Amino acid sequence: KLTWITRFELFQDFEGQRTGFEGLYTAVTTGVQWRPIPDLIVRPEVRYDQNNNSNPFEGKNNLWSGAIDLIVRW
């Protein structure tokens, strides 16, 4: 009923053409997947983004965010 999920991502924007800020973007996302009943999945997660070469996140080089998904199967 409970599963742990972790994801690591890398994205290189060499000249800032895609994001407006150059650098190597790294992101780590972790969360759980909970199935209280077979047809319902609840997935809360937290994510950390970082860019050591520039400050793309409102003048900072890192950003914390959180989200939650609710999946109903039928």
Side-chain angles (χ1 to χ4, degrees), residues 1-7 29-38 40-46 69 71 73:
K1 289 190 173 194
L2 192 65
T3 305
W4 188 273
I5 300 167
T6 300
R7 183 175 61 245
T29 306
T30 189
V32 295
Q33 178 174 293
W34 176 47
R35 292 180 182 239
I37 58 175
L40 180 66
I41 303 170
V42 181
R43 300 188 316 175
E45 67 182 25
V46 70
D69 295 342
I71 300 170
R73 298 178 59 175

